[in-house]
Amino acid sequence: MTVDACGASAFFHQPVMVEEVVEWLAPGPGSIIVDVTLGGAGHAERLLAETAPEGRLIGIDRDPEAIAAATRRLQEQGDRVTIVRARMSELGHVLDDQGITAVDRVLADLGVSSFQLDQAQRGLSFRQEGPLDMRMNPEEGETARELIARLDDEELANLIYAYGEERYSRRIARALKAAGSIATTAEAARIIERAVPPPARRGRIHPATRTFQALRIAVNEELVELERFLQVAPERLGPGGRMVVISYHSLEDRMVKRAFRARAQEEEYTLPVRRVVRASPQEVETNPRSRSACLRVIERRAE
């Protein structure tokens, strides 16, 4: 096993739509699979079982703690697994480094793990007080706090509206900037909540939800990463190869839908299912995070 790992902690994440992933990826014995969002390796472990005894998996993640957790979980798989710390957009470079020109299956689960949300020091959730950070890789890039400080009112409002689809983006941006230096997630959430008109505070979701989503997307360049990945990944599928992407909000799903349909206009690609695939009612009941999951599939035609 090739490993780039650091740190060690109890990384747990319940993978979403495992049965649907297996059904639509349809991996066979000996398949070469890439999981570009390896996380805690829940999907990867199941896919390795489906491709035994000779299938191979390349796991990619930029979170050092996810890399460490996946390494421990998959260590008994030996040379069947290669784990690389990288961004999903770097898929092509990773495969080139491994001497692989084409793969059979590609999986991307774009969700944030429960472990990441529950770690207060990551600053991803307003439900736990922690530093206003939000970086998936704590060793690179600017924090959410630094991002807010760098942007002016209009730039911040546009970001919150574009990435969070937040109707009160201008009110929220002005409040965040007026507050000066904001140290913690709880402080940011209180400022956002006070900026939203009282009737809107009584909605089904917390008033800070969309703004926190927008800041996280911006800090981690999530949509930029997704766009680059969607350009590269289909071209690395071999004949008959399939790719599955699971997204969790409308911005991501629209990008995946448009990219897949554009590829399907080319003769060498097809959509095995044109509709979005959803989690079963049984899974939604046991894992509420799966409620918003949208699974889409693309296939490269066999020669």
Side-chain angles (χ1 to χ4, degrees):
M1 179 185 290
T2 302
V3 177
D4 177 0
C6 62
S9 57
F11 192 114
F12 174 77
H13 174 60
Q14 184 176 351
V16 167
M17 300 181 73
V18 175
E19 297 307 318
E20 289 82 359
V21 166
V22 171
E23 176 185 356
W24 289 106
L25 276 182
S31 293
I32 300 176
I33 301 175
V34 184
D35 184 343
V36 299
T37 50
L38 184 60
H43 287 117
E45 187 172 60
R46 177 62 184 278
L47 292 169
L48 282 163
E50 295 289 327
T51 60
E54 297 180 354
R56 182 179 176 189
L57 182 131
I58 296 95
I60 298 172
D61 207 296
R62 61 173 161 174
D63 182 340
E65 294 192 71
I67 290 288
T71 298
R72 292 193 300 273
R73 184 168 185 171
L74 302 177
Q75 61 186 345
E76 294 183 1
Q77 300 292 340
D79 292 340
R80 294 185 63 204
V81 176
T82 300
I83 298 178
V84 181
R85 186 174 169 190
R87 293 173 175 240
M88 66 164 62
S89 63
E90 297 173 312
L91 170 64
H93 299 302
V94 171
L95 293 180
D96 289 343
D97 289 345
Q98 299 298 317
I100 299 172
T101 57
V103 299
D104 300 301
R105 302 290 186 266
V106 175
L107 171 65
D109 178 350
L110 306 178
V112 180
S113 76
S114 303
F115 173 82
Q116 291 165 325
L117 289 171
D118 292 342
Q119 272 196 316
Q121 67 267 28
R122 287 179 179 256
L124 287 165
S125 174
F126 49 80
R127 302 189 186 281
Q128 299 192 62
E129 183 155 16
L132 194 58
D133 192 315
M134 298 195 183
R135 291 173 296 172
M136 293 299 180
N137 182 350
E139 299 173 10
E140 68 176 23
E142 67 180 349
T143 66
R145 179 182 182 183
E146 293 166 339
L147 176 68
I148 292 170
R150 177 172 60 81
L151 301 179
D152 63 29
D153 290 26
E154 184 175 0
E155 290 170 328
L156 182 58
N158 290 342
L159 183 152
I160 294 169
Y161 183 79
Y163 292 163
E165 299 179 300
E166 171 57 70
R167 63 184 297 191
Y168 300 110
S169 60
R170 297 197 178 281
R171 288 172 176 249
I172 292 168
R174 286 196 297 268
L176 288 172
K177 294 297 292 185
S181 180
I182 304 170
T184 70
T185 53
E187 184 182 355
R190 287 192 294 269
I191 292 167
I192 295 166
E193 188 169 15
R194 288 197 298 267
V196 172
R201 299 175 195 170
R202 297 190 290 270
R204 185 173 58 86
I205 66 171
H206 191 283
T209 299
R210 293 187 180 91
T211 299
F212 267 60
Q213 172 185 296
L215 292 171
R216 191 202 74 227
I217 288 172
V219 164
N220 295 289
E221 300 180 315
E222 292 177 21
L223 298 185
V224 174
E225 281 291 298
L226 179 58
E227 182 178 16
R228 292 172 178 168
F229 166 73
L230 291 170
Q231 291 172 351
V232 172
E235 296 175 357
R236 299 309 291 253
L237 292 172
R242 280 193 178 188
M243 180 168 117
V244 161
V245 178
I246 305 173
S247 58
Y248 293 83
H249 57 76
S250 58
L251 295 175
E252 292 174 338
D253 185 55
R254 284 198 294 268
M255 288 178 66
V256 177
K257 179 180 177 180
R258 285 197 298 265
F260 280 11
R261 290 192 172 179
R263 285 284 181 179
Q265 298 300 312
E266 303 173 23
E267 187 175 337
E268 60 186 313
Y269 294 96
T270 184
L271 302 178
V273 55
R274 296 191 68 86
R275 62 179 174 82
V276 66
V277 179
R278 298 279 188 176
S280 68
Q282 294 78 13
E283 180 173 2
V284 171
E285 184 175 350
T286 58
N287 184 7
R289 287 188 69 254
S290 66
R291 180 180 292 107
S292 58
C294 299
L295 183 153
R296 294 188 184 273
V297 193
I298 193 169
E299 177 178 296
R300 191 165 198 164
R301 296 182 190 273
E303 292 179 342

